[in-house]
Amino acid sequence: MPESPGGRVLVVEPSAVVETIGTRQRRLAALLADMVPGARTIRVSQRQPGQKWPSPYAHAYDARGRLIALNRAQRTTVARWVIRAHPDMTRDETYDLDLATGTLRPAVAVSLAIGGGC
């Protein structure tokens, strides 16, 4: 077990880890909601449309599903923050981040859940 410099054994409770993960997701969602006012969902991919090489890319949508215009700096910054906060993202897949809950889901699952398609 790891020890602190004072010689005490450091123990992490599993419930504290789960709470920290949820808290981080909610904090990220709150920061992104401040960065993109009116956004409800952020769609993130590691490949910009029309490019063959990896390039972080994001779209923002309001509560009615309408696209919110982002400038290049916002698109890149938002995508990088989400990608860094969720390192388990698959490179070739697109994800939706719900800013109300902080939940990240594959975009295909989201569109199928609301009865849409590609």
Side-chain angles (χ1 to χ4, degrees), residues 90 96 102-103 110:
T90 306
D96 283 343
T103 305
V110 173

Side-chain angles (χ1 to χ4, degrees), residues 20-90:
T20 303
I21 292 170
T23 303
R24 272 192 262 162
Q25 290 174 343
R26 286 190 298 274
R27 284 179 48 210
L28 175 65
L31 289 170
L32 294 176
D34 286 343
M35 181 185 274
V36 186
R40 170 64 190 243
T41 303
I42 302 286
R43 181 164 286 178
V44 178
S45 67
Q46 293 190 27
R47 195 169 303 272
Q48 185 173 344
Q51 289 187 350
K52 300 285 186 200
W53 58 90
S55 177
Y57 196 78
H59 289 287
Y61 298 93
D62 65 8
R64 299 174 85 189
R66 292 181 299 202
L67 185 65
I68 296 175
L70 299 176
N71 62 37
R72 185 173 185 258
Q74 286 175 313
R75 284 192 310 260
T76 306
T77 302
V78 166
R80 285 181 180 162
W81 284 8
V82 173
I83 290 167
R84 288 181 183 160
H86 299 275
D88 54 333
M89 288 177 58
T90 306

Side-chain angles (χ1 to χ4, degrees), residues 94-113:
T94 301
Y95 292 86
D96 283 343
L97 177 68
D98 184 351
L99 296 182
T101 63
T103 305
L104 184 74
R105 297 194 303 177
V108 173
V110 173
S111 65
L112 292 176

